[in-house]
Amino acid sequence: MTDLIIIGGGMAGLTAAVYSLRAGKSVLVIEKSAFGGQITSSPRVDNYPGLPAISGNALADALLGQALDLSCEVELEEVSAVHPVENGFTVCAGSNEFKARAIIVATGARPRPLGLPGEEKLIGRGISYCALCDGAFHKGQNVAVVGGGNTAAQAAVFLSDICSHVTVLQDLDHFTCDQRDYEAMRSRENISFQTSTRISALEGDDHLTGLKLLAADGASSELPVQGLFVSIGRIPDTEAFADLLSMDKSGFLLTDDGLGAGMNGIWAAGDCRRKAVRQLTTAAADGTIAAVNACRFLDEGK
């Protein structure tokens, strides 16, 4: 039986792994898609202390390498359920079952879709949730970014180096990104802005050809684009724990001051839990706190 299973291999999960491994615990990290989590979609990270201007992929690779060097075990599987058993838990992932004395849930969150008719059909045919992943497919084209936070602003700047023109759409009358990211957008001549505007419909059958827009004052318009990059927030990946752990109405896990998730032996860290600030540094802090408390639990149980 493994001492600790960490579900999720993003910043919070891998930080928890490093701290737990350094405390002498056996650790298995189970990740369903790509180690590193959301940060791998950021072409440039400027707000992680001590590592200015690093790419998200480079940061994720370094953290994963650090965990592997400490003999972390990893599995690429999606966890479907966690069951309490005597002296620990059984974690169901794919066709496998893994046993551990303690669990840290660090599953993060996935992109929030627009929820418009035809959106799913157009994913990969003009609609994307990752500028770094798919921006190159739109070289020289006119594209739009929807959202007003840091991810949207960074996506717009990144795309401005590739695309002919980038239109940033925000349903609020202001942007919520950092001032530095906002100024970076404003400095690009091929980025324009439409605030207090939402997308009312998508145009195109086999490929996105344009957007129908609706302004707050009721005025409607059309925007011809060949690409749309959606950056309007995240949905927590917590469905597997719906019958086990407490969560708010949006699905974010509820935790105490020590990041305990309401069941003895389980902690939650990172974007999957309810909290006010979701940044790289707070994810790393969460991973640290959860790991320290999980290790203390494991030590006291010996």
PDB file of all heavy atoms in Angstrom, residues 2 14 31 36 51 54 57 60 65 74 83 131 141 151 164 215 235 239 242 248 253-255 257 267 282 302:
ATOM      1  N   THR A   2       0.601   2.160  -0.924  1.00  0.00           N
ATOM      2  CA  THR A   2       1.342   3.413  -1.001  1.00  0.00           C
ATOM      3  C   THR A   2       0.955   4.324   0.163  1.00  0.00           C
ATOM      4  O   THR A   2      -0.188   4.314   0.621  1.00  0.00           O
ATOM      5  CB  THR A   2       1.013   4.122  -2.334  1.00  0.00           C
ATOM      6  OG1 THR A   2       1.345   3.249  -3.411  1.00  0.00           O
ATOM      7  CG2 THR A   2       1.795   5.417  -2.481  1.00  0.00           C
ATOM      8  N   LEU A  14       2.011  18.291  -7.948  1.00  0.00           N
ATOM      9  CA  LEU A  14       3.442  17.996  -8.010  1.00  0.00           C
ATOM     10  C   LEU A  14       4.211  18.638  -6.859  1.00  0.00           C
ATOM     11  O   LEU A  14       5.196  18.072  -6.367  1.00  0.00           O
ATOM     12  CB  LEU A  14       4.010  18.442  -9.356  1.00  0.00           C
ATOM     13  CG  LEU A  14       3.561  17.610 -10.565  1.00  0.00           C
ATOM     14  CD1 LEU A  14       4.086  18.205 -11.860  1.00  0.00           C
ATOM     15  CD2 LEU A  14       4.005  16.151 -10.423  1.00  0.00           C
ATOM     16  N   GLU A  31      -2.453  11.275 -12.981  1.00  0.00           N
ATOM     17  CA  GLU A  31      -2.860  12.424 -13.800  1.00  0.00           C
ATOM     18  C   GLU A  31      -3.597  11.909 -15.031  1.00  0.00           C
ATOM     19  O   GLU A  31      -3.156  10.949 -15.674  1.00  0.00           O
ATOM     20  CB  GLU A  31      -1.627  13.240 -14.211  1.00  0.00           C
ATOM     21  CG  GLU A  31      -1.836  14.230 -15.327  1.00  0.00           C
ATOM     22  CD  GLU A  31      -2.888  15.276 -15.035  1.00  0.00           C
ATOM     23  OE1 GLU A  31      -2.953  15.759 -13.884  1.00  0.00           O
ATOM     24  OE2 GLU A  31      -3.640  15.601 -15.959  1.00  0.00           O
ATOM     25  N   GLY A  36       1.535  18.931 -15.273  1.00  0.00           N
ATOM     26  CA  GLY A  36       1.750  20.372 -15.308  1.00  0.00           C
ATOM     27  C   GLY A  36       0.462  21.162 -15.226  1.00  0.00           C
ATOM     28  O   GLY A  36       0.439  22.289 -14.749  1.00  0.00           O
ATOM     29  N   LEU A  51      11.582  33.029 -11.094  1.00  0.00           N
ATOM     30  CA  LEU A  51      11.679  32.438 -12.433  1.00  0.00           C
ATOM     31  C   LEU A  51      10.938  33.304 -13.446  1.00  0.00           C
ATOM     32  O   LEU A  51       9.955  32.878 -14.060  1.00  0.00           O
ATOM     33  CB  LEU A  51      11.093  31.022 -12.439  1.00  0.00           C
ATOM     34  CG  LEU A  51      11.831  29.967 -11.612  1.00  0.00           C
ATOM     35  CD1 LEU A  51      11.042  28.677 -11.582  1.00  0.00           C
ATOM     36  CD2 LEU A  51      13.224  29.719 -12.186  1.00  0.00           C
ATOM     37  N   ILE A  54       9.633  32.491 -17.799  1.00  0.00           N
ATOM     38  CA  ILE A  54       9.742  31.068 -18.087  1.00  0.00           C
ATOM     39  C   ILE A  54       8.459  30.621 -18.778  1.00  0.00           C
ATOM     40  O   ILE A  54       7.385  31.171 -18.521  1.00  0.00           O
ATOM     41  CB  ILE A  54       9.984  30.259 -16.787  1.00  0.00           C
ATOM     42  CG1 ILE A  54      10.322  28.796 -17.119  1.00  0.00           C
ATOM     43  CG2 ILE A  54       8.771  30.350 -15.852  1.00  0.00           C
ATOM     44  CD1 ILE A  54      10.740  27.977 -15.915  1.00  0.00           C
ATOM     45  N   ASN A  57       5.374  25.332 -20.037  1.00  0.00           N
ATOM     46  CA  ASN A  57       5.858  23.968 -20.265  1.00  0.00           C
ATOM     47  C   ASN A  57       7.186  23.721 -19.570  1.00  0.00           C
ATOM     48  O   ASN A  57       7.413  22.648 -18.980  1.00  0.00           O
ATOM     49  CB  ASN A  57       6.007  23.705 -21.768  1.00  0.00           C
ATOM     50  CG  ASN A  57       4.736  23.177 -22.388  1.00  0.00           C
ATOM     51  OD1 ASN A  57       4.011  22.411 -21.771  1.00  0.00           O
ATOM     52  ND2 ASN A  57       4.468  23.594 -23.616  1.00  0.00           N
ATOM     53  N   ALA A  60       6.563  23.341 -15.837  1.00  0.00           N
ATOM     54  CA  ALA A  60       5.943  22.046 -15.549  1.00  0.00           C
ATOM     55  C   ALA A  60       6.952  20.908 -15.677  1.00  0.00           C
ATOM     56  O   ALA A  60       6.996  19.994 -14.835  1.00  0.00           O
ATOM     57  CB  ALA A  60       4.766  21.820 -16.487  1.00  0.00           C
ATOM     58  N   GLY A  65      10.204  16.740 -13.301  1.00  0.00           N
ATOM     59  CA  GLY A  65      11.529  16.138 -13.191  1.00  0.00           C
ATOM     60  C   GLY A  65      12.021  16.084 -11.760  1.00  0.00           C
ATOM     61  O   GLY A  65      12.639  15.097 -11.338  1.00  0.00           O
ATOM     62  N   VAL A  74       4.311   7.566 -11.113  1.00  0.00           N
ATOM     63  CA  VAL A  74       3.270   8.286 -11.839  1.00  0.00           C
ATOM     64  C   VAL A  74       2.445   7.313 -12.677  1.00  0.00           C
ATOM     65  O   VAL A  74       2.939   6.273 -13.123  1.00  0.00           O
ATOM     66  CB  VAL A  74       3.859   9.385 -12.748  1.00  0.00           C
ATOM     67  CG1 VAL A  74       4.564  10.450 -11.924  1.00  0.00           C
ATOM     68  CG2 VAL A  74       4.801   8.790 -13.786  1.00  0.00           C
ATOM     69  N   HIS A  83     -12.730   4.997  -2.768  1.00  0.00           N
ATOM     70  CA  HIS A  83     -13.534   4.292  -1.778  1.00  0.00           C
ATOM     71  C   HIS A  83     -12.743   4.131  -0.475  1.00  0.00           C
ATOM     72  O   HIS A  83     -11.604   3.646  -0.500  1.00  0.00           O
ATOM     73  CB  HIS A  83     -13.936   2.909  -2.288  1.00  0.00           C
ATOM     74  CG  HIS A  83     -14.695   2.933  -3.576  1.00  0.00           C
ATOM     75  ND1 HIS A  83     -15.954   3.475  -3.686  1.00  0.00           N
ATOM     76  CD2 HIS A  83     -14.363   2.465  -4.817  1.00  0.00           C
ATOM     77  CE1 HIS A  83     -16.381   3.355  -4.928  1.00  0.00           C
ATOM     78  NE2 HIS A  83     -15.433   2.745  -5.629  1.00  0.00           N
ATOM     79  N   ALA A 131      -4.480  28.896 -26.653  1.00  0.00           N
ATOM     80  CA  ALA A 131      -3.798  29.658 -27.699  1.00  0.00           C
ATOM     81  C   ALA A 131      -2.437  29.068 -28.032  1.00  0.00           C
ATOM     82  O   ALA A 131      -2.037  29.004 -29.198  1.00  0.00           O
ATOM     83  CB  ALA A 131      -3.655  31.110 -27.265  1.00  0.00           C
ATOM     84  N   GLN A 141      -4.386  34.903 -39.877  1.00  0.00           N
ATOM     85  CA  GLN A 141      -5.840  35.022 -39.892  1.00  0.00           C
ATOM     86  C   GLN A 141      -6.333  36.054 -38.883  1.00  0.00           C
ATOM     87  O   GLN A 141      -5.584  36.505 -38.004  1.00  0.00           O
ATOM     88  CB  GLN A 141      -6.479  33.665 -39.591  1.00  0.00           C
ATOM     89  CG  GLN A 141      -6.185  32.585 -40.623  1.00  0.00           C
ATOM     90  CD  GLN A 141      -6.850  31.269 -40.285  1.00  0.00           C
ATOM     91  OE1 GLN A 141      -7.399  31.079 -39.198  1.00  0.00           O
ATOM     92  NE2 GLN A 141      -6.794  30.334 -41.235  1.00  0.00           N
ATOM     93  N   THR A 151      -5.352  34.956 -18.358  1.00  0.00           N
ATOM     94  CA  THR A 151      -5.178  33.956 -19.406  1.00  0.00           C
ATOM     95  C   THR A 151      -5.604  34.512 -20.754  1.00  0.00           C
ATOM     96  O   THR A 151      -4.936  34.310 -21.773  1.00  0.00           O
ATOM     97  CB  THR A 151      -5.968  32.683 -19.082  1.00  0.00           C
ATOM     98  OG1 THR A 151      -5.516  32.157 -17.829  1.00  0.00           O
ATOM     99  CG2 THR A 151      -5.768  31.627 -20.146  1.00  0.00           C
ATOM    100  N   SER A 164      -3.154  37.917 -38.043  1.00  0.00           N
ATOM    101  CA  SER A 164      -3.255  39.237 -38.656  1.00  0.00           C
ATOM    102  C   SER A 164      -3.890  40.240 -37.705  1.00  0.00           C
ATOM    103  O   SER A 164      -3.388  41.358 -37.550  1.00  0.00           O
ATOM    104  CB  SER A 164      -4.085  39.139 -39.946  1.00  0.00           C
ATOM    105  OG  SER A 164      -4.257  40.421 -40.525  1.00  0.00           O
ATOM    106  N   ALA A 215     -24.221  43.665 -27.796  1.00  0.00           N
ATOM    107  CA  ALA A 215     -23.692  44.623 -26.831  1.00  0.00           C
ATOM    108  C   ALA A 215     -24.691  44.821 -25.691  1.00  0.00           C
ATOM    109  O   ALA A 215     -25.872  44.484 -25.801  1.00  0.00           O
ATOM    110  CB  ALA A 215     -23.401  45.951 -27.509  1.00  0.00           C
ATOM    111  N   ILE A 235     -13.992  24.976 -14.825  1.00  0.00           N
ATOM    112  CA  ILE A 235     -14.929  24.142 -14.084  1.00  0.00           C
ATOM    113  C   ILE A 235     -14.106  23.098 -13.322  1.00  0.00           C
ATOM    114  O   ILE A 235     -13.266  22.415 -13.929  1.00  0.00           O
ATOM    115  CB  ILE A 235     -15.908  23.436 -15.033  1.00  0.00           C
ATOM    116  CG1 ILE A 235     -16.740  24.470 -15.801  1.00  0.00           C
ATOM    117  CG2 ILE A 235     -16.823  22.488 -14.266  1.00  0.00           C
ATOM    118  CD1 ILE A 235     -17.602  23.862 -16.888  1.00  0.00           C
ATOM    119  N   GLU A 239     -15.992  15.617 -10.214  1.00  0.00           N
ATOM    120  CA  GLU A 239     -17.151  14.723 -10.333  1.00  0.00           C
ATOM    121  C   GLU A 239     -16.932  13.379  -9.639  1.00  0.00           C
ATOM    122  O   GLU A 239     -17.869  12.804  -9.075  1.00  0.00           O
ATOM    123  CB  GLU A 239     -17.495  14.490 -11.806  1.00  0.00           C
ATOM    124  CG  GLU A 239     -17.975  15.719 -12.542  1.00  0.00           C
ATOM    125  CD  GLU A 239     -16.835  16.474 -13.198  1.00  0.00           C
ATOM    126  OE1 GLU A 239     -15.660  16.253 -12.813  1.00  0.00           O
ATOM    127  OE2 GLU A 239     -17.106  17.305 -14.100  1.00  0.00           O
ATOM    128  N   ALA A 242     -18.105  13.331  -5.912  1.00  0.00           N
ATOM    129  CA  ALA A 242     -19.421  13.908  -5.589  1.00  0.00           C
ATOM    130  C   ALA A 242     -20.106  13.190  -4.435  1.00  0.00           C
ATOM    131  O   ALA A 242     -20.806  13.813  -3.631  1.00  0.00           O
ATOM    132  CB  ALA A 242     -20.314  13.887  -6.831  1.00  0.00           C
ATOM    133  N   ASP A 248     -19.161  23.042  -3.035  1.00  0.00           N
ATOM    134  CA  ASP A 248     -20.155  24.096  -3.182  1.00  0.00           C
ATOM    135  C   ASP A 248     -20.989  23.844  -4.437  1.00  0.00           C
ATOM    136  O   ASP A 248     -20.806  22.846  -5.142  1.00  0.00           O
ATOM    137  CB  ASP A 248     -19.498  25.482  -3.184  1.00  0.00           C
ATOM    138  CG  ASP A 248     -18.596  25.726  -4.400  1.00  0.00           C
ATOM    139  OD1 ASP A 248     -18.667  24.945  -5.366  1.00  0.00           O
ATOM    140  OD2 ASP A 248     -17.831  26.704  -4.366  1.00  0.00           O
ATOM    141  N   LEU A 253     -14.365  21.894  -4.095  1.00  0.00           N
ATOM    142  CA  LEU A 253     -14.303  21.179  -2.827  1.00  0.00           C
ATOM    143  C   LEU A 253     -14.164  22.145  -1.662  1.00  0.00           C
ATOM    144  O   LEU A 253     -13.457  23.152  -1.743  1.00  0.00           O
ATOM    145  CB  LEU A 253     -13.134  20.198  -2.830  1.00  0.00           C
ATOM    146  CG  LEU A 253     -13.207  19.083  -3.883  1.00  0.00           C
ATOM    147  CD1 LEU A 253     -11.934  18.254  -3.864  1.00  0.00           C
ATOM    148  CD2 LEU A 253     -14.426  18.192  -3.649  1.00  0.00           C
ATOM    149  N   LEU A 254     -14.832  21.823  -0.563  1.00  0.00           N
ATOM    150  CA  LEU A 254     -14.783  22.642   0.641  1.00  0.00           C
ATOM    151  C   LEU A 254     -13.697  22.101   1.556  1.00  0.00           C
ATOM    152  O   LEU A 254     -13.648  20.891   1.832  1.00  0.00           O
ATOM    153  CB  LEU A 254     -16.136  22.624   1.346  1.00  0.00           C
ATOM    154  CG  LEU A 254     -17.327  23.110   0.498  1.00  0.00           C
ATOM    155  CD1 LEU A 254     -18.635  22.979   1.287  1.00  0.00           C
ATOM    156  CD2 LEU A 254     -17.127  24.548   0.037  1.00  0.00           C
ATOM    157  N   THR A 255     -12.827  22.972   2.037  1.00  0.00           N
ATOM    158  CA  THR A 255     -11.703  22.556   2.870  1.00  0.00           C
ATOM    159  C   THR A 255     -11.617  23.395   4.132  1.00  0.00           C
ATOM    160  O   THR A 255     -12.142  24.506   4.199  1.00  0.00           O
ATOM    161  CB  THR A 255     -10.373  22.701   2.101  1.00  0.00           C
ATOM    162  OG1 THR A 255     -10.259  24.044   1.614  1.00  0.00           O
ATOM    163  CG2 THR A 255     -10.318  21.740   0.919  1.00  0.00           C
ATOM    164  N   ASP A 257      -8.895  24.947   7.343  1.00  0.00           N
ATOM    165  CA  ASP A 257      -7.652  25.731   7.308  1.00  0.00           C
ATOM    166  C   ASP A 257      -6.429  24.892   6.946  1.00  0.00           C
ATOM    167  O   ASP A 257      -5.464  25.405   6.374  1.00  0.00           O
ATOM    168  CB  ASP A 257      -7.423  26.411   8.662  1.00  0.00           C
ATOM    169  CG  ASP A 257      -8.407  27.544   8.911  1.00  0.00           C
ATOM    170  OD1 ASP A 257      -9.054  27.980   7.934  1.00  0.00           O
ATOM    171  OD2 ASP A 257      -8.528  27.975  10.069  1.00  0.00           O
ATOM    172  N   TRP A 267      -7.133  15.322   1.711  1.00  0.00           N
ATOM    173  CA  TRP A 267      -6.918  16.773   1.612  1.00  0.00           C
ATOM    174  C   TRP A 267      -7.179  17.201   0.174  1.00  0.00           C
ATOM    175  O   TRP A 267      -7.160  16.377  -0.743  1.00  0.00           O
ATOM    176  CB  TRP A 267      -5.482  17.136   2.020  1.00  0.00           C
ATOM    177  CG  TRP A 267      -5.219  16.923   3.471  1.00  0.00           C
ATOM    178  CD1 TRP A 267      -5.220  17.847   4.468  1.00  0.00           C
ATOM    179  CD2 TRP A 267      -4.917  15.670   4.111  1.00  0.00           C
ATOM    180  NE1 TRP A 267      -4.949  17.262   5.687  1.00  0.00           N
ATOM    181  CE2 TRP A 267      -4.761  15.924   5.492  1.00  0.00           C
ATOM    182  CE3 TRP A 267      -4.777  14.358   3.653  1.00  0.00           C
ATOM    183  CZ2 TRP A 267      -4.471  14.930   6.415  1.00  0.00           C
ATOM    184  CZ3 TRP A 267      -4.491  13.354   4.568  1.00  0.00           C
ATOM    185  CH2 TRP A 267      -4.333  13.661   5.932  1.00  0.00           C
ATOM    186  N   THR A 282      -0.390  30.265  -5.295  1.00  0.00           N
ATOM    187  CA  THR A 282      -1.341  29.733  -4.311  1.00  0.00           C
ATOM    188  C   THR A 282      -1.531  28.233  -4.505  1.00  0.00           C
ATOM    189  O   THR A 282      -1.785  27.506  -3.538  1.00  0.00           O
ATOM    190  CB  THR A 282      -2.694  30.458  -4.391  1.00  0.00           C
ATOM    191  OG1 THR A 282      -3.286  30.265  -5.685  1.00  0.00           O
ATOM    192  CG2 THR A 282      -2.528  31.941  -4.139  1.00  0.00           C
ATOM    193  N   LYS A 302       1.471   5.754  12.451  1.00  0.00           N
ATOM    194  CA  LYS A 302       2.408   4.633  12.555  1.00  0.00           C
ATOM    195  C   LYS A 302       2.480   4.091  13.977  1.00  0.00           C
ATOM    196  O   LYS A 302       2.366   4.859  14.924  1.00  0.00           O
ATOM    197  CB  LYS A 302       3.807   5.069  12.081  1.00  0.00           C
ATOM    198  CG  LYS A 302       3.855   5.324  10.575  1.00  0.00           C
ATOM    199  CD  LYS A 302       5.256   5.675  10.137  1.00  0.00           C
ATOM    200  CE  LYS A 302       5.327   5.879   8.638  1.00  0.00           C
ATOM    201  NZ  LYS A 302       6.685   6.240   8.177  1.00  0.00           N
TER     202      LYS A 302
END
